[in-house]
Amino acid sequence: MTVPASDQPILVIGAGVVGLSTALYLQRAGRAVTVIDTLPPASGASFGNAGLISADTSVPIALPGMLRKVPGWLNDRLGPLSVDPRYFPKALPWLLRWIEAGRMPRVLQISDAMRAMHSQTFECWKELLGSNRYHDLIRPLGQVHVWETGQETPGAALERSLRERQGIRSERLAADDLRQLFPGISRSVTRGLLMPGNGFTVNPQRLVQTLAELLTDAGGTIISERVMKIIPREGGGYAVMTNTGWHLSQELVVAAGAWSSQLLDPLGIHLPLETERGYHAMLTSPGIELKMPISNKTRAFGVTPMEHGLRVAGTVEIAGLEAPPNEARAKVLLEHIKGMFPEVDTRQHRLWMGFRPSTPDSLPILGEMPGHPGLFLAMGHGHFGMTGGPPSAKVVSQLITGTAPGIDMAPYAPTRFGRSGRRRVVTS
Ligand SMILES: Cc1cc2nc3c(=O)[nH]c(=O)nc-3n(C[C@H](O)[C@H](O)[C@H](O)COP(=O)(O)OP(=O)(O)OC[C@H]3O[C@@H](n4cnc5c(N)ncnc54)[C@H](O)[C@@H]3O)c2cc1C
């Protein structure tokens, strides 16, 4: 028997924070939903991120002046960025767009769009999880940024001005304040900033798995198959060919994280999505406790207190989806945390690598793809998916169900890079 098109569930490809949040919002709006993922829920970037939920983060990754720092970073074994020379030619168009996104007028637009999305995060997490689960999994207790330089650097001053422009509250912390807040912190850490409007999750994997449980408990379906191709159907809708199945739907959401381009390229949709690979070292017996996460802005890494220990995370590695992990990058994180907390015990640790799904302008790609009715994109959350994922999911589900989202969607439009993603890049 053929299922009438209107009764077919909406298919969501990807069971990470973005796909599952979208599926849950759609379900709550009365739609039947099926999520497809090769792997169990929360097995991609959503598994091992730093867990920061940063309602007050509105500073893009690409900023003016950053280009000057890149050669130094690339030559520094402990530096925050590495580019695989073999992969460089492939990444170059994306890197050029990244430079373009770091121009000041564009930075201000991006910052506004980040603010519009991220400021909703705690409200959306609460909506998705309900009060009890929210309080179990999420700690809206603030985050601290620290520096190991005496003077405010130009980069830090720019970040401050972007925050002030958005009216974001922060409190300066002197060296003594930091030592009170974080006993044992190294004397090399001289300055800090409390961001009271931010927070974190004690376990990103459990958080995203909880979304999956809520979905299936309410009648949603999650199937374990690998999507091999999206095929537009004559007369409308899509067939999704998987390794073992064939699924039909009028509406389809691509939320496959860093792998989304593999599914969209065959449709002629070429979006500038690159993976910024990142690493974590999970310290299971660190011997120290932290009240809240610390982002070390001088060394570009962070540490988050989680229910199974301390998670030290960071670094950006441009090396594509295929290269094996370079565990030396993760071990650098162990050196960094020792530098910040000399007493920390790093002997018991687990290393992990994940694929951030990144656009050059730090903004996700959200909405229906023009020329492909019913094909919705929810991808490209880069460094901020645990923060921007649920608010993005809410607006994408609103677009699908015909409700006007409360924010201007133009900054996140799939067409902002040109209709097929090939916008001319101006480099001078
Ligand atoms: C080291 C690190 C630290 C980070 N720290 C933070 C942080 O502190 N705060 C924050 O907000 N963000 C952080 N992030 C970013 C955040 O983790 C990501 O933005 C977010 O997890 C992306 O979610 P997603 O659902 O788009 O992708 P993913 O979680 O990667 O999910 C995509 C899913 O799609 C599935 N998939 C792919 N292809 C197919 C296919 N063909 N068929 C079926 N399924 C498929 C994959 O199996 C995967 O499960 C960090 C990332 C890293 C790597």
Side-chain angles (χ1 to χ4, degrees), residues 54-359:
S54 309
D56 278 353
T57 290
S58 58
V59 177
I61 300 296
L63 291 172
M66 227 170 223
L67 199 54
R68 280 197 299 278
K69 295 187 196 163
V70 169
W73 285 340
L74 293 177
N75 285 323
D76 178 0
R77 188 183 63 84
L78 302 182
L81 174 69
S82 92
V83 181
D84 181 342
R86 285 159 302 185
Y87 191 74
F88 179 75
K90 191 134 194 267
L92 186 61
W94 186 92
L95 292 167
L96 292 173
R97 282 205 172 87
W98 186 84
I99 293 165
E100 193 191 16
R103 289 158 194 269
M104 204 53 204
R106 186 74 189 108
V107 164
L108 297 180
Q109 292 169 347
I110 296 169
S111 173
D112 289 346
M114 288 177 83
R115 181 78 182 136
M117 198 60 78
H118 291 177
S119 58
Q120 310 297 315
T121 188
F122 288 116
E123 206 180 302
C124 290
W125 275 116
K126 215 174 280 176
E127 270 174 7
L128 288 171
L129 296 170
S131 180
N132 288 347
R133 291 182 188 84
Y134 175 86
H135 290 294
D136 175 32
L137 283 153
I138 290 181
R139 303 281 181 276
L141 299 175
Q143 297 168 5
V144 167
H145 294 182
V146 300
W147 288 266
E148 299 184 32
T149 51
Q151 298 294 318
E152 188 180 57
T153 59
L158 174 60
E159 293 193 18
R160 178 172 48 74
S161 71
L162 289 172
R163 277 194 303 273
E164 285 170 2
R165 185 171 162 273
Q166 302 290 356
I168 290 166
R169 214 156 50 88
S170 61
E171 291 166 32
R172 286 181 194 216
L173 301 171
D176 285 347
D177 302 326
L178 286 168
R179 262 166 271 300
Q180 270 190 15
L181 205 50
F182 303 109
I185 198 166
S186 161
R187 299 224 156 255
S188 67
V189 178
T190 47
R191 297 184 298 117
L193 195 74
L194 173 66
M195 307 273 299
N198 285 343
F200 62 104
T201 174
V202 292
N203 188 334
Q205 182 194 25
R206 189 160 71 83
L207 177 60
V208 175
Q209 284 173 339
T210 301
L211 299 178
E213 277 162 29
L214 287 166
L215 184 81
T216 50
D217 287 354
T221 306
I222 301 179
I223 53 181
S224 303
E225 292 173 20
R226 183 162 70 85
V227 177
M228 299 175 72
K229 194 166 185 193
I230 298 168
I231 302 166
R233 301 175 71 207
E234 266 179 42
Y238 296 88
V240 170
M241 185 194 282
T242 71
N243 58 320
T244 56
W246 177 260
H247 307 274
L248 305 179
S249 182
Q250 285 302 109
E251 289 132 331
L252 184 63
V253 181
V254 177
W259 298 271
S260 298
S261 292
Q262 294 177 347
L263 300 173
L264 297 174
D265 281 341
L267 294 169
I269 303 169
H270 306 292
L271 294 162
L273 186 75
E274 186 49 77
T275 180
E276 293 180 81
R277 297 148 55 114
Y279 290 82
H280 86 217
M282 192 75 204
L283 310 183
T284 48
S285 298
I288 62 167
E289 283 182 18
L290 300 184
K291 293 189 181 72
M292 64 181 89
I294 307 179
S295 293
N296 185 315
K297 305 293 277 183
T298 304
R299 297 176 191 241
F301 79 101
V303 52
T304 308
M306 293 197 178
E307 61 191 6
H308 298 127
L310 283 186
R311 181 165 292 177
V312 192
T315 86
V316 169
E317 182 184 46
I318 305 287
L321 292 166
E322 302 303 331
N326 175 2
E327 68 279 10
R329 301 259 337 136
K331 287 185 179 159
V332 165
L333 296 167
L334 298 174
E335 293 181 47
H336 281 327
I337 188 73
K338 269 278 183 204
M340 190 158 77
F341 286 99
E343 302 297 313
V344 72
D345 186 342
T346 58
R347 282 173 300 176
Q348 289 183 39
H349 62 254
R350 287 195 310 263
L351 306 180
W352 173 86
M353 186 198 76
F355 299 92
R356 296 184 188 91
S358 298
T359 60

